[in-house]
Amino acid sequence: MHTNAITSCLWFDGQAKEAATFYSTVFKSSKITSENPMVVTFELNGTKFMGLNGGSMFKINPSISFFVTCGTLEEVNEIWDKLIEGGKFLMPIDTYPWSKRYGWLEDKFGVTWQISIANDGGTEQKIRPSMLFTSNQFGKAEEAIRHYTSIFGDSTTDLLILYPDGGDHAGKVMYSEFQLSQQALIAMDGPGVHEYTFNEGVSLMISCETQAEIDHYWEKLTEGGAESMCGWLKDKFGVSWQVVPSIIGKLMSDSEKGGRAMQAIMKMRKLDIETLTNA
């Protein structure tokens, strides 16, 4: 199975282009790669994102935030100052036991960012989706990492720090780093009371070359979860995924076939490449 690209998808109420344009001014080596009234794709320092103008049905919340590590304090401060404008902090930018400079904020579009100086002395700016297991998902982060790394090729668990024995949260995941198909992610258990858990506001989109790959991810990720429409599903932890053929962008932008392909998608749960191509 080849390495499947994973893209973070952000659900907006008509603000996808505005958000993508704004983020491109905040992060280095950033660009908008494609746009239409429904979808804007963009890259922030090599990390792929999709902005979806889905309407007011779902709201982004902090259960999946984006963890930004920077090489210098100046870079941390500069990114923080730009993103906090019109937004609010969830944890103020400060010195913490785990970082010389760290803060967590919600920007003016509702997307949440954790910004930190790299503890390992690295100088490369990195942006990684970060999952927080809260409420009824609290304590399931380690199980989720094991589940995901068993499903995706090119997967590794690079760091797993548990809460120490004897404390309230012993054995739960304090912080972890893992990779799925070479996409770096972070997962933590979130103790305490949180008014949010995973939803469709932030989903992860898997791009598949073949129908066999679509079938594989669909079957494994819906196990204990739930199928939704148009290639969307929820896994057993409540995380939303989209499993899509890699040719979907080409099909949708085809002036002759695009409309028919869209109508075919609207009728499907799991997407079928042959049906879409023949639409």
Side-chain angles (χ1 to χ4, degrees), residues 75-105:
E75 196 178 22
V76 173
N77 294 338
E78 190 187 329
I79 290 173
W80 177 272
D81 290 345
K82 286 179 181 171
L83 286 175
I84 196 81
E85 212 170 286
K88 62 181 185 186
F89 69 80
L90 303 178
M91 288 177 74
I93 187 98
D94 208 340
T95 303
Y96 290 90
W98 61 87
S99 176
K100 281 195 308 217
R101 191 84 174 144
Y102 166 90
W104 191 352
L105 64 82

mmCIF file of all heavy atoms in Angstrom, residues 75-105:
data_model
loop_
_atom_site.group_PDB
_atom_site.id
_atom_site.type_symbol
_atom_site.label_atom_id
_atom_site.label_comp_id
_atom_site.label_asym_id
_atom_site.label_seq_id
_atom_site.Cartn_x
_atom_site.Cartn_y
_atom_site.Cartn_z
ATOM 1 N N GLU A 75 10.391 33.859 16.550
ATOM 2 C CA GLU A 75 9.404 33.226 15.664
ATOM 3 C C GLU A 75 8.131 32.868 16.438
ATOM 4 O O GLU A 75 7.013 33.091 15.955
ATOM 5 C CB GLU A 75 10.028 31.978 15.030
ATOM 6 C CG GLU A 75 9.263 31.459 13.838
ATOM 7 C CD GLU A 75 9.925 30.238 13.196
ATOM 8 O OE1 GLU A 75 10.725 29.529 13.858
ATOM 9 O OE2 GLU A 75 9.600 29.993 12.036
ATOM 10 N N VAL A 76 8.301 32.306 17.642
ATOM 11 C CA VAL A 76 7.141 31.998 18.490
ATOM 12 C C VAL A 76 6.306 33.260 18.711
ATOM 13 O O VAL A 76 5.089 33.265 18.507
ATOM 14 C CB VAL A 76 7.591 31.429 19.869
ATOM 15 C CG1 VAL A 76 6.390 31.280 20.805
ATOM 16 C CG2 VAL A 76 8.276 30.086 19.710
ATOM 17 N N ASN A 77 6.960 34.326 19.116
ATOM 18 C CA ASN A 77 6.258 35.575 19.439
ATOM 19 C C ASN A 77 5.573 36.180 18.223
ATOM 20 O O ASN A 77 4.445 36.666 18.307
ATOM 21 C CB ASN A 77 7.231 36.593 20.047
ATOM 22 C CG ASN A 77 7.754 36.136 21.405
ATOM 23 O OD1 ASN A 77 7.129 35.317 22.072
ATOM 24 N ND2 ASN A 77 8.907 36.646 21.801
ATOM 25 N N GLU A 78 6.254 36.119 17.088
ATOM 26 C CA GLU A 78 5.710 36.708 15.857
ATOM 27 C C GLU A 78 4.436 35.969 15.420
ATOM 28 O O GLU A 78 3.420 36.593 15.088
ATOM 29 C CB GLU A 78 6.781 36.632 14.764
ATOM 30 C CG GLU A 78 6.431 37.409 13.517
ATOM 31 C CD GLU A 78 7.447 37.169 12.388
ATOM 32 O OE1 GLU A 78 8.646 36.931 12.701
ATOM 33 O OE2 GLU A 78 7.022 37.192 11.230
ATOM 34 N N ILE A 79 4.490 34.619 15.439
ATOM 35 C CA ILE A 79 3.318 33.828 15.041
ATOM 36 C C ILE A 79 2.176 34.046 16.039
ATOM 37 O O ILE A 79 1.014 34.226 15.657
ATOM 38 C CB ILE A 79 3.697 32.328 14.917
ATOM 39 C CG1 ILE A 79 4.607 32.142 13.703
ATOM 40 C CG2 ILE A 79 2.460 31.453 14.798
ATOM 41 C CD1 ILE A 79 5.193 30.737 13.568
ATOM 42 N N TRP A 80 2.504 34.040 17.316
ATOM 43 C CA TRP A 80 1.493 34.276 18.357
ATOM 44 C C TRP A 80 0.801 35.624 18.145
ATOM 45 O O TRP A 80 -0.430 35.713 18.150
ATOM 46 C CB TRP A 80 2.137 34.214 19.746
ATOM 47 C CG TRP A 80 1.174 34.525 20.853
ATOM 48 C CD1 TRP A 80 0.871 35.761 21.359
ATOM 49 C CD2 TRP A 80 0.346 33.593 21.566
ATOM 50 N NE1 TRP A 80 -0.083 35.653 22.345
ATOM 51 C CE2 TRP A 80 -0.425 34.332 22.494
ATOM 52 C CE3 TRP A 80 0.197 32.205 21.525
ATOM 53 C CZ2 TRP A 80 -1.330 33.737 23.371
ATOM 54 C CZ3 TRP A 80 -0.713 31.619 22.383
ATOM 55 C CH2 TRP A 80 -1.473 32.373 23.303
ATOM 56 N N ASP A 81 1.593 36.665 17.943
ATOM 57 C CA ASP A 81 1.035 38.022 17.810
ATOM 58 C C ASP A 81 0.089 38.139 16.612
ATOM 59 O O ASP A 81 -0.930 38.820 16.686
ATOM 60 C CB ASP A 81 2.164 39.061 17.683
ATOM 61 C CG ASP A 81 2.934 39.230 18.992
ATOM 62 O OD1 ASP A 81 2.418 38.767 20.041
ATOM 63 O OD2 ASP A 81 4.042 39.797 18.969
ATOM 64 N N LYS A 82 0.427 37.449 15.525
ATOM 65 C CA LYS A 82 -0.431 37.508 14.332
ATOM 66 C C LYS A 82 -1.725 36.712 14.542
ATOM 67 O O LYS A 82 -2.815 37.165 14.187
ATOM 68 C CB LYS A 82 0.317 36.967 13.107
ATOM 69 C CG LYS A 82 1.375 37.927 12.575
ATOM 70 C CD LYS A 82 2.100 37.317 11.378
ATOM 71 C CE LYS A 82 3.169 38.268 10.851
ATOM 72 N NZ LYS A 82 4.020 37.607 9.832
ATOM 73 N N LEU A 83 -1.594 35.510 15.111
ATOM 74 C CA LEU A 83 -2.773 34.631 15.240
ATOM 75 C C LEU A 83 -3.741 35.085 16.325
ATOM 76 O O LEU A 83 -4.938 34.823 16.242
ATOM 77 C CB LEU A 83 -2.326 33.188 15.519
ATOM 78 C CG LEU A 83 -1.721 32.417 14.348
ATOM 79 C CD1 LEU A 83 -1.217 31.056 14.815
ATOM 80 C CD2 LEU A 83 -2.718 32.224 13.207
ATOM 81 N N ILE A 84 -3.232 35.753 17.366
ATOM 82 C CA ILE A 84 -4.102 36.145 18.489
ATOM 83 C C ILE A 84 -4.983 37.345 18.117
ATOM 84 O O ILE A 84 -6.007 37.597 18.753
ATOM 85 C CB ILE A 84 -3.271 36.445 19.772
ATOM 86 C CG1 ILE A 84 -4.147 36.478 21.038
ATOM 87 C CG2 ILE A 84 -2.494 37.745 19.637
ATOM 88 C CD1 ILE A 84 -4.487 35.158 21.624
ATOM 89 N N GLU A 85 -4.609 38.047 17.066
ATOM 90 C CA GLU A 85 -5.362 39.247 16.669
ATOM 91 C C GLU A 85 -6.808 38.876 16.321
ATOM 92 O O GLU A 85 -7.063 38.094 15.414
ATOM 93 C CB GLU A 85 -4.701 39.882 15.441
ATOM 94 C CG GLU A 85 -4.850 41.376 15.394
ATOM 95 C CD GLU A 85 -3.985 41.990 14.303
ATOM 96 O OE1 GLU A 85 -2.753 42.066 14.479
ATOM 97 O OE2 GLU A 85 -4.565 42.355 13.267
ATOM 98 N N GLY A 86 -7.754 39.405 17.068
ATOM 99 C CA GLY A 86 -9.166 39.083 16.855
ATOM 100 C C GLY A 86 -9.563 37.750 17.461
ATOM 101 O O GLY A 86 -10.712 37.327 17.366
ATOM 102 N N GLY A 87 -8.608 37.057 18.108
ATOM 103 C CA GLY A 87 -8.894 35.766 18.739
ATOM 104 C C GLY A 87 -8.792 35.874 20.251
ATOM 105 O O GLY A 87 -8.961 36.951 20.820
ATOM 106 N N LYS A 88 -8.496 34.751 20.909
ATOM 107 C CA LYS A 88 -8.369 34.771 22.376
ATOM 108 C C LYS A 88 -7.428 33.640 22.808
ATOM 109 O O LYS A 88 -7.276 32.641 22.093
ATOM 110 C CB LYS A 88 -9.733 34.586 23.034
ATOM 111 C CG LYS A 88 -10.400 33.254 22.717
ATOM 112 C CD LYS A 88 -11.768 33.117 23.368
ATOM 113 C CE LYS A 88 -12.347 31.727 23.118
ATOM 114 N NZ LYS A 88 -13.709 31.563 23.585
ATOM 115 N N PHE A 89 -6.791 33.810 23.973
ATOM 116 C CA PHE A 89 -5.898 32.745 24.419
ATOM 117 C C PHE A 89 -6.665 31.713 25.245
ATOM 118 O O PHE A 89 -7.610 32.027 25.945
ATOM 119 C CB PHE A 89 -4.688 33.303 25.198
ATOM 120 C CG PHE A 89 -5.005 33.896 26.544
ATOM 121 C CD1 PHE A 89 -5.197 33.082 27.652
ATOM 122 C CD2 PHE A 89 -5.090 35.279 26.713
ATOM 123 C CE1 PHE A 89 -5.476 33.627 28.897
ATOM 124 C CE2 PHE A 89 -5.381 35.832 27.954
ATOM 125 C CZ PHE A 89 -5.571 34.999 29.047
ATOM 126 N N LEU A 90 -6.235 30.450 25.115
ATOM 127 C CA LEU A 90 -6.744 29.359 25.952
ATOM 128 C C LEU A 90 -5.745 29.104 27.081
ATOM 129 O O LEU A 90 -6.123 28.746 28.183
ATOM 130 C CB LEU A 90 -6.954 28.095 25.118
ATOM 131 C CG LEU A 90 -7.905 28.252 23.909
ATOM 132 C CD1 LEU A 90 -8.005 26.957 23.125
ATOM 133 C CD2 LEU A 90 -9.285 28.710 24.332
ATOM 134 N N MET A 91 -4.445 29.259 26.763
ATOM 135 C CA MET A 91 -3.374 29.271 27.777
ATOM 136 C C MET A 91 -2.429 30.387 27.357
ATOM 137 O O MET A 91 -1.955 30.385 26.216
ATOM 138 C CB MET A 91 -2.625 27.929 27.809
ATOM 139 C CG MET A 91 -3.441 26.796 28.410
ATOM 140 S SD MET A 91 -2.548 25.206 28.347
ATOM 141 C CE MET A 91 -1.334 25.429 29.642
ATOM 142 N N PRO A 92 -2.164 31.348 28.247
ATOM 143 C CA PRO A 92 -1.370 32.506 27.838
ATOM 144 C C PRO A 92 0.057 32.124 27.436
ATOM 145 O O PRO A 92 0.589 31.118 27.899
ATOM 146 C CB PRO A 92 -1.359 33.394 29.085
ATOM 147 C CG PRO A 92 -1.745 32.515 30.217
ATOM 148 C CD PRO A 92 -2.587 31.424 29.654
ATOM 149 N N ILE A 93 0.653 32.917 26.559
ATOM 150 C CA ILE A 93 2.033 32.669 26.138
ATOM 151 C C ILE A 93 2.946 32.948 27.334
ATOM 152 O O ILE A 93 2.866 34.007 27.945
ATOM 153 C CB ILE A 93 2.391 33.520 24.892
ATOM 154 C CG1 ILE A 93 3.762 33.155 24.336
ATOM 155 C CG2 ILE A 93 2.291 35.009 25.135
ATOM 156 C CD1 ILE A 93 3.718 32.220 23.180
ATOM 157 N N ASP A 94 3.761 31.939 27.697
ATOM 158 C CA ASP A 94 4.516 32.055 28.945
ATOM 159 C C ASP A 94 5.558 30.939 29.006
ATOM 160 O O ASP A 94 5.682 30.147 28.074
ATOM 161 C CB ASP A 94 3.545 31.935 30.142
ATOM 162 C CG ASP A 94 4.051 32.691 31.374
ATOM 163 O OD1 ASP A 94 5.267 32.976 31.448
ATOM 164 O OD2 ASP A 94 3.228 32.980 32.266
ATOM 165 N N THR A 95 6.259 30.864 30.131
ATOM 166 C CA THR A 95 7.175 29.748 30.399
ATOM 167 C C THR A 95 6.413 28.685 31.183
ATOM 168 O O THR A 95 5.725 29.012 32.154
ATOM 169 C CB THR A 95 8.381 30.231 31.225
ATOM 170 O OG1 THR A 95 9.019 31.284 30.508
ATOM 171 C CG2 THR A 95 9.385 29.119 31.435
ATOM 172 N N TYR A 96 6.511 27.441 30.732
ATOM 173 C CA TYR A 96 5.830 26.325 31.389
ATOM 174 C C TYR A 96 6.865 25.228 31.673
ATOM 175 O O TYR A 96 7.946 25.236 31.078
ATOM 176 C CB TYR A 96 4.723 25.775 30.481
ATOM 177 C CG TYR A 96 3.551 26.724 30.320
ATOM 178 C CD1 TYR A 96 3.532 27.673 29.293
ATOM 179 C CD2 TYR A 96 2.461 26.681 31.198
ATOM 180 C CE1 TYR A 96 2.451 28.553 29.150
ATOM 181 C CE2 TYR A 96 1.388 27.548 31.060
ATOM 182 C CZ TYR A 96 1.388 28.484 30.039
ATOM 183 O OH TYR A 96 0.335 29.351 29.895
ATOM 184 N N PRO A 97 6.528 24.278 32.552
ATOM 185 C CA PRO A 97 7.489 23.203 32.848
ATOM 186 C C PRO A 97 7.955 22.465 31.590
ATOM 187 O O PRO A 97 9.077 21.964 31.544
ATOM 188 C CB PRO A 97 6.702 22.262 33.768
ATOM 189 C CG PRO A 97 5.639 23.110 34.392
ATOM 190 C CD PRO A 97 5.308 24.172 33.382
ATOM 191 N N TRP A 98 7.099 22.390 30.561
ATOM 192 C CA TRP A 98 7.446 21.623 29.356
ATOM 193 C C TRP A 98 8.037 22.484 28.241
ATOM 194 O O TRP A 98 8.457 21.962 27.213
ATOM 195 C CB TRP A 98 6.223 20.871 28.829
ATOM 196 C CG TRP A 98 5.092 21.782 28.436
ATOM 197 C CD1 TRP A 98 4.908 22.390 27.224
ATOM 198 C CD2 TRP A 98 4.003 22.200 29.249
ATOM 199 N NE1 TRP A 98 3.766 23.164 27.236
ATOM 200 C CE2 TRP A 98 3.191 23.056 28.473
ATOM 201 C CE3 TRP A 98 3.628 21.926 30.571
ATOM 202 C CZ2 TRP A 98 2.032 23.646 28.974
ATOM 203 C CZ3 TRP A 98 2.474 22.522 31.062
ATOM 204 C CH2 TRP A 98 1.691 23.368 30.270
ATOM 205 N N SER A 99 8.046 23.811 28.439
ATOM 206 C CA SER A 99 8.541 24.663 27.353
ATOM 207 C C SER A 99 8.956 26.039 27.873
ATOM 208 O O SER A 99 8.272 26.623 28.718
ATOM 209 C CB SER A 99 7.443 24.827 26.295
ATOM 210 O OG SER A 99 7.861 25.725 25.294
ATOM 211 N N LYS A 100 10.044 26.548 27.314
ATOM 212 C CA LYS A 100 10.506 27.905 27.679
ATOM 213 C C LYS A 100 9.526 28.963 27.185
ATOM 214 O O LYS A 100 9.432 30.050 27.750
ATOM 215 C CB LYS A 100 11.875 28.186 27.040
ATOM 216 C CG LYS A 100 13.049 27.564 27.778
ATOM 217 C CD LYS A 100 14.369 28.172 27.307
ATOM 218 C CE LYS A 100 14.492 28.132 25.783
ATOM 219 N NZ LYS A 100 15.862 27.864 25.313
ATOM 220 N N ARG A 101 8.814 28.641 26.097
ATOM 221 C CA ARG A 101 7.862 29.603 25.530
ATOM 222 C C ARG A 101 6.751 28.815 24.858
ATOM 223 O O ARG A 101 6.973 28.096 23.889
ATOM 224 C CB ARG A 101 8.579 30.493 24.506
ATOM 225 C CG ARG A 101 7.770 31.697 24.057
ATOM 226 C CD ARG A 101 7.920 32.833 25.029
ATOM 227 N NE ARG A 101 7.272 34.059 24.576
ATOM 228 C CZ ARG A 101 6.654 34.916 25.398
ATOM 229 N NH1 ARG A 101 6.619 34.666 26.694
ATOM 230 N NH2 ARG A 101 6.099 36.015 24.940
ATOM 231 N N TYR A 102 5.538 28.932 25.420
ATOM 232 C CA TYR A 102 4.410 28.149 24.901
ATOM 233 C C TYR A 102 3.128 28.919 25.150
ATOM 234 O O TYR A 102 2.979 29.618 26.156
ATOM 235 C CB TYR A 102 4.338 26.791 25.626
ATOM 236 C CG TYR A 102 3.029 26.048 25.405
ATOM 237 C CD1 TYR A 102 2.874 25.163 24.354
ATOM 238 C CD2 TYR A 102 1.935 26.253 26.259
ATOM 239 C CE1 TYR A 102 1.669 24.488 24.150
ATOM 240 C CE2 TYR A 102 0.733 25.590 26.066
ATOM 241 C CZ TYR A 102 0.598 24.709 25.006
ATOM 242 O OH TYR A 102 -0.584 24.061 24.810
ATOM 243 N N GLY A 103 2.176 28.797 24.223
ATOM 244 C CA GLY A 103 0.842 29.346 24.426
ATOM 245 C C GLY A 103 -0.156 28.616 23.539
ATOM 246 O O GLY A 103 0.215 27.991 22.548
ATOM 247 N N TRP A 104 -1.429 28.679 23.935
ATOM 248 C CA TRP A 104 -2.501 28.025 23.168
ATOM 249 C C TRP A 104 -3.575 29.082 22.928
ATOM 250 O O TRP A 104 -4.009 29.753 23.870
ATOM 251 C CB TRP A 104 -3.037 26.857 23.988
ATOM 252 C CG TRP A 104 -3.960 25.918 23.236
ATOM 253 C CD1 TRP A 104 -4.473 26.064 21.986
ATOM 254 C CD2 TRP A 104 -4.453 24.660 23.719
ATOM 255 N NE1 TRP A 104 -5.249 24.988 21.647
ATOM 256 C CE2 TRP A 104 -5.262 24.113 22.690
ATOM 257 C CE3 TRP A 104 -4.298 23.949 24.909
ATOM 258 C CZ2 TRP A 104 -5.903 22.886 22.822
ATOM 259 C CZ3 TRP A 104 -4.946 22.737 25.029
ATOM 260 C CH2 TRP A 104 -5.732 22.203 24.000
ATOM 261 N N LEU A 105 -3.966 29.233 21.668
ATOM 262 C CA LEU A 105 -4.942 30.282 21.353
ATOM 263 C C LEU A 105 -5.993 29.784 20.369
ATOM 264 O O LEU A 105 -5.817 28.780 19.688
ATOM 265 C CB LEU A 105 -4.232 31.507 20.767
ATOM 266 C CG LEU A 105 -3.488 31.375 19.430
ATOM 267 C CD1 LEU A 105 -4.419 31.488 18.221
ATOM 268 C CD2 LEU A 105 -2.410 32.448 19.318
#
